[in-house]
Amino acid sequence: MSQQLLNDITTRDYPYGFTSNIETEVAPKGLSEDVIRMISKKKNEPEFMLEFRLKAYRHWLTLTEPKWPNVTYPEINFQDIHYYAAPKAPKKKLESLDDVDPELLKTFEKLGIPLTEQKKLANVAVDAIFDSVSVATTYKDKLLKAGVVFCPLSEAVEKYPDIVKKYLGSVVPHTDNFYAALNAAVFSEGSFVYLPKNTVSPMELSTYFRINTEESGQFERTLIVCEENSYVSYLEGCTAPKFDTNQLHAAVVELVTLDNAEIKYSTVQNWFSGDPVTGKGGIYNFVTKRGKCLGKNSKISWTQIETGSAITWKYPSCVLIGDNSIGEFYSVALTNHFQQADTGTKMIHIGKNTKSTIVSKGISAGKSHNTYRGLVQMNKSAHHANNFTQCDSMLIGNACSANTFPTIDVKNGSSTVGHEATTVKISEDQIFYFQQRGISMEDAMATIINGFCKDVFKELPTEFAVEATQLLGLKLENSVG
Amino acid sequence: MLEIKNLHAKINDTPILKGISLTIKPGEVHAIMGPNGSGKSTLSKVISGHPAYDVTSGEVLFEGQNILELDPDVRARLGLFLAFQYPVEIPGVHNAGFLRMAYNARRKENGQEEVDPMEFDELIRSKLNLVEMEPDFLERAVNQGFSGGEKKRNEILQMLVLEPKLAFLDETDSGLDIDALRIVSKAVNAYKKPEVGIVLVTHYQRLLNYIVPDVVHVMANGVIIKSGDKSLALALEEKGYEWLL
Ligand SMILES: Nc1ncnc2c1ncn2[C@@H]1O[C@H](COP(=O)(O)OP(=O)(O)O)[C@@H](O)[C@H]1O
Ligand SMILES: [Mg+2]
């Protein structure tokens, strides 16, 4: 490695680092029962939701921050965060896009997510969330015709209270962990997807999260329920402006599948990851994502491309309850500069013949730390259950580190568990080989990464696969020294 | 076409090249010989822009243009090619895809349309025959698990596809058995043309029986200590390098 190039590491600017000048209504900093009551009131929530929040809050007060993840950061002052921030809403309800602040629409357009009727993405329905509220949801009517409910969670609380009551907190209870409790207390927005029996979504669904307000937290909560024989593919994307301070993003995602249902959940996470040179700022991404395969032959598949955030701490997991149910986790986690990631999955096998696949690709560059942490658990009842895990690390340069902590817990002798792991290093000589053949460094990087990640990329909806490849290439530009 | 003037270069503060001057004209074949560690590979990597080396003084002009400030891929697209002494393995990257990408990068530079995999497949078939390689060889990852001889033949295949103006072949003959040596030499000779310059870095006279050089240089300790015609190589074969040192 040549020191010179290492020192030369220049960074491409984070293209989504702009702030939008939008009149915003924010709750005063800090957390208390009053703040929670205020959030609940702002959202016009029924009593059961307020109860849900307060119960979680009271529990949260008894908890302390988890210290076991392999990441370090200064103590978070939870009283120094705004728990609610929303673009000032017009008095009347948003009935159509015409009621939406044009500045907001412009913001999303700049992010590559046009929402207006003329420009909206073909074949992808988008729910656009700005700070704590949903700005717009496209193709709502077309989806409803097909039987698919796709709307902001707050709207679901109003229109589908029974479903929300039944499933909210049923996969990730507020007692699950510190951040899940915090989220349950203060969550402000998120997406709700509901497919009744025998419904196949006619298009991809997608939620796009944007944090805009400095020192605000984003605590969204997503709930997807797929009843018997239904199928949906859902993608979330995220960006945030550049600030010197850190912002907390503590989301909860809950998925439920009944008999023969399938949910495919993909994430392309590109939150601002902090200043490349000083490491200042960036998002703390502390997220709890879990799916419950309740029904027989049901399937939940997580695909994640994690490229942003100062710190990522998340383990999208599957609880395989229904016999023959399938859980999948395909992950690319890339860290560069001062980023830290502790991510992986849990596959909890309960039903018979349940099957899980884990493919994790960790890419570390710069001075970053990248940890894979996984649990495969075969319960007593999990007869003939099967897991396969492939866990690969790629190191770029000499200053980064990668760890893997796979835990396997087998309580049923008829189940099988397989694990493979490799570590590779991208060398200066490899990049030079490409360049000597006339291929630019960016293309070289993208090609090598693509080769390394192809088993994960092929799981992404095609609309996003190309984008993901390019994103990784950009993130790693000039990082081989 | 290539003019090297008093070139000095170092790696990690160790000076390796200590004043190399060399001129190569279109159509010429030059051989560079010399003991291990004399700086032959370093010279070829410095010319092609390997980032590990620092040029401390001197100039390298390619077709009149100083190329030392150019990125390696830009130099390559100008028509500079290096067949590596130790081609690196690139796991996960498809050999044919890699070659096509390199080919298209060149075409793009020349304002030509990129070729798709089908067209490329056709184009590469005749070149494969020239180096006597099986097509399934293209389906593997770049250099991964290739034998020494396969790696060298792959380098020559790349040269044939990319059609450089100036090709450095760094010990392409090392580790080849006699049949492979004959195949590689035949391919290089087939590529020889009036507008192309070729530099052969080698230890062995035997390669020069197949590809006859116009000029032979002997390098030692970072400088060229003697240049001559092909008889110099024969003299070296007979007397060894000590004779000159
Ligand atoms: N990374 C390095 N650090 C210090 N010296 C090096 C390094 N790489 C090569 N060298 C030295 O440079 C000299 C020239 O090497 P090289 O150009 O490979 O010679 P040749 O190709 O003529 O055998 C050798 O003495 C070698 O030890
Ligand atoms: Mg050498």
Side-chain angles (χ1 to χ4, degrees):
Chain A
M1 293 287 153
S2 85
Q3 200 48 46
Q4 193 206 330
L5 242 195
L6 265 181
N7 295 344
D8 254 12
I9 295 180
T10 56
T11 36
R12 188 179 192 95
D13 247 4
Y14 179 70
Y16 308 114
F18 62 89
T19 321
S20 304
N21 197 359
I22 281 168
E23 246 197 296
T24 311
E25 183 175 21
V26 291
K29 279 183 180 173
L31 191 50
S32 63
E33 292 210 0
D34 285 346
V35 168
I36 290 167
R37 282 176 203 282
M38 174 241 156
I39 294 172
S40 188
K41 196 157 172 219
K42 278 263 169 240
K43 306 220 145 248
N44 268 326
E45 287 179 349
E47 192 57 28
F48 84 88
M49 284 304 298
L50 179 62
E51 281 309 309
F52 180 91
R53 291 174 183 279
L54 289 175
K55 205 160 69 185
Y57 174 66
R58 287 169 196 145
H59 180 72
W60 180 74
L61 288 175
T62 69
L63 301 176
T64 49
E65 248 177 289
K67 292 282 183 249
W68 52 264
N70 194 20
V71 297
T72 50
Y73 54 93
E75 195 98 22
I76 297 175
N77 179 355
F78 289 92
Q79 296 304 337
D80 198 31
I81 295 172
H82 296 288
Y83 287 89
Y84 183 82
K88 266 216 175 106
K91 281 279 174 290
K92 68 179 190 127
K93 270 186 85 176
L94 297 183
E95 292 301 345
S96 79
L97 276 179
D98 300 338
D99 304 330
V100 176
D101 182 347
E103 193 63 30
L104 269 176
L105 295 180
K106 235 188 271 167
T107 299
F108 280 99
E109 196 159 329
K110 236 164 137 180
L111 296 169
I113 317 287
L115 299 169
T116 56
E117 201 55 40
Q118 305 81 28
K119 293 187 189 158
K120 66 186 180 188
L121 305 173
N123 292 318
V124 184
V126 179
D127 185 15
I129 296 185
F130 190 88
D131 285 338
S132 303
V133 297
S134 169
V135 170
T137 311
T138 60
Y139 293 110
K140 240 169 145 170
D141 298 340
K142 184 171 173 189
L143 287 169
L144 266 181
K145 244 178 239 155
V148 180
V149 176
F150 180 38
C151 67
L153 188 57
S154 54
E155 190 179 320
V157 168
E158 215 174 297
K159 291 191 182 158
Y160 312 94
D162 293 344
I163 304 171
V164 173
K165 220 173 183 170
K166 182 167 176 190
Y167 290 110
L168 196 72
S170 74
V171 184
V172 180
H174 68 267
T175 50
D176 191 78
N177 69 70
F178 182 85
Y179 292 105
L182 180 63
N183 175 287
V186 303
F187 75 89
S188 37
E189 200 47 282
S191 291
F192 174 75
V193 178
Y194 172 67
L195 288 90
K197 263 186 203 177
N198 306 321
T199 311
V200 173
S201 177
M203 57 172 73
E204 302 276 343
L205 307 187
S206 160
T207 300
Y208 194 88
F209 295 102
R210 171 76 177 170
I211 296 180
N212 194 58
T213 307
E214 189 165 10
E215 295 177 328
S216 79
Q218 191 166 36
F219 305 94
E220 84 272 0
R221 190 157 186 122
T222 297
L223 174 62
I224 303 180
V225 178
C226 238
E227 292 196 340
E228 288 85 348
N229 307 315
S230 294
Y231 169 83
V232 69
S233 166
Y234 176 95
L235 182 125
E236 75 173 39
C238 14
T239 58
K242 287 182 181 176
F243 291 124
D244 282 348
T245 50
N246 297 100
Q247 285 129 296
L248 178 61
H249 174 250
V252 168
V253 175
E254 299 180 282
L255 313 182
V256 178
T257 50
L258 303 188
D259 288 357
N260 305 310
E262 177 177 349
I263 299 175
K264 187 172 166 58
Y265 191 107
S266 315
T267 305
V268 177
Q269 187 262 108
N270 187 20
W271 294 117
F272 178 51
S273 45
D275 187 280
V277 179
T278 63
K280 267 186 130 170
I283 302 285
Y284 291 164
N285 191 34
F286 301 156
V287 168
T288 308
K289 291 181 166 174
R290 194 172 306 149
K292 245 187 196 173
C293 284
L294 276 180
K296 285 187 303 235
N297 306 312
S298 66
K299 179 173 172 184
I300 289 178
S301 178
W302 297 100
T303 304
Q304 60 170 16
I305 312 294
E306 300 285 322
T307 69
S309 298
I311 303 178
T312 297
W313 179 95
K314 67 181 268 200
Y315 314 90
S317 303
C318 298
V319 185
L320 305 171
I321 298 168
D323 289 348
N324 306 315
S325 61
I326 297 173
E328 293 176 340
F329 175 74
Y330 297 98
S331 169
V332 170
L334 177 150
T335 54
N336 197 356
H337 308 301
F338 294 91
Q339 282 176 272
Q340 309 174 57
D342 191 310
T343 184
T345 185
K346 291 190 273 189
M347 293 291 175
I348 313 294
H349 292 254
I350 295 170
K352 289 190 206 103
N353 300 315
T354 48
K355 194 174 165 226
S356 64
T357 304
I358 299 172
V359 178
S360 161
K361 307 278 178 176
I363 304 170
S364 333
K367 296 185 173 151
S368 67
H369 298 281
N370 202 328
T371 298
Y372 169 81
R373 191 185 300 277
L375 170 67
V376 175
Q377 186 177 317
M378 301 295 186
N379 284 19
K380 268 200 187 117
S381 51
H383 300 291
H384 304 288
N386 171 267
N387 159 268
F388 177 72
T389 299
Q390 175 79 45
C391 200
D392 300 324
S393 307
M394 177 178 269
L395 300 174
I396 303 174
N398 293 322
C400 57
S401 68
N403 291 299
T404 55
F405 301 115
T407 305
I408 295 169
D409 176 12
V410 178
K411 297 197 178 76
N412 184 307
S414 69
S415 64
T416 49
V417 175
H419 184 96
E420 280 176 18
T422 65
T423 300
V424 295
K425 212 170 153 155
I426 298 193
S427 68
E428 190 172 70
D429 282 337
Q430 286 173 322
I431 299 293
F432 182 64
Y433 194 80
F434 276 86
Q435 288 190 290
Q436 211 306 303
R437 299 305 184 241
I439 299 164
S440 71
M441 186 186 275
E442 283 153 68
D443 288 347
M445 213 64 199
T447 306
I448 292 180
I449 298 291
N450 222 349
F452 181 67
C453 301
K454 59 183 170 226
D455 293 343
V456 175
F457 286 165
K458 72 176 169 35
E459 298 297 325
L460 278 178
T462 42
E463 283 91 342
F464 301 99
V466 178
E467 200 185 305
T469 312
Q470 284 170 348
L471 179 62
L472 292 190
L474 290 181
K475 285 268 165 179
L476 287 171
E477 219 178 6
N478 295 320
S479 57
V480 176
Chain B
M1 67 189 330
L2 186 75
E3 237 183 302
I4 304 171
K5 295 182 189 165
N6 197 24
L7 184 65
H8 289 72
K10 59 176 190 177
I11 183 166
N12 299 336
D13 294 323
T14 313
I16 310 285
L17 302 183
K18 301 166 185 166
I20 302 267
S21 296
L22 180 65
T23 302
I24 297 163
K25 298 202 183 77
E28 285 182 348
V29 176
H30 287 233
I32 300 180
M33 306 181 78
N36 279 330
S38 55
K40 305 181 298 293
S41 293
T42 302
L43 177 63
S44 65
K45 285 195 246 180
V46 167
I47 291 168
S48 48
H50 194 291
Y53 301 89
D54 288 323
V55 173
T56 46
S57 67
E59 270 187 323
V60 177
L61 304 178
F62 183 59
E63 300 189 310
Q65 181 185 6
N66 187 349
I67 57 170
L68 287 178
E69 294 301 316
L70 302 179
D71 283 342
D73 53 315
V74 178
R75 299 186 202 191
R77 292 195 299 268
L78 289 176
L80 206 62
F81 181 88
L82 167 58
F84 289 86
Q85 182 177 1
Y86 304 109
V88 64
E89 303 196 358
I90 309 177
V93 176
H94 185 232
N95 202 21
F98 174 81
L99 249 180
R100 190 168 68 88
M101 195 176 193
Y103 182 70
N104 277 334
R106 180 75 44 95
R107 286 183 66 91
K108 218 165 127 189
E109 180 95 359
N110 298 338
Q112 293 162 303
E113 205 149 305
E114 299 187 11
V115 299
D116 64 27
M118 299 274 280
E119 295 169 293
F120 188 67
D121 198 53
E122 216 146 280
L123 182 146
I124 200 168
R125 208 142 283 244
S126 62
K127 320 253 177 189
L128 268 178
N129 287 338
L130 248 151
V131 287
E132 299 187 21
M133 281 168 24
E134 296 300 323
D136 61 0
F137 178 84
L138 293 172
E139 302 308 322
R140 293 160 62 179
V142 178
N143 293 323
Q144 199 177 24
F146 288 17
S147 70
E150 285 172 337
K151 281 183 182 165
K152 298 301 176 78
R153 273 194 273 174
N154 195 38
E155 296 290 291
I156 297 303
L157 175 68
Q158 293 178 350
M159 178 188 79
L160 298 176
V161 170
L162 297 176
E163 305 191 316
K165 293 176 188 157
L166 179 67
F168 268 83
L169 310 184
D170 192 358
E171 298 205 25
T172 302
D173 55 334
S174 301
L176 294 186
D177 61 32
I178 193 74
D179 287 335
L181 181 67
R182 188 185 45 76
I183 292 165
V184 162
S185 309
K186 194 183 68 187
V188 173
N189 279 324
Y191 186 63
K192 245 169 71 175
K193 44 192 145 184
E195 63 275 21
V196 165
I198 292 174
V199 181
L200 305 167
V201 175
T202 180
H203 281 295
Y204 307 106
Q205 157 63 25
R206 78 177 180 165
L207 174 71
L208 306 180
N209 289 334
Y210 291 97
I211 312 169
V212 183
D214 301 297
V215 192
V216 175
H217 309 276
V218 181
M219 214 172 137
N221 197 17
V223 290
I224 291 176
I225 53 171
K226 195 170 177 63
S227 301
D229 62 14
K230 62 182 179 191
S231 64
L232 179 57
L234 288 167
L236 282 174
E237 173 103 325
E238 206 173 298
K239 306 185 201 169
Y241 292 121
E242 291 75 32
W243 159 64
L244 286 172
L245 296 176

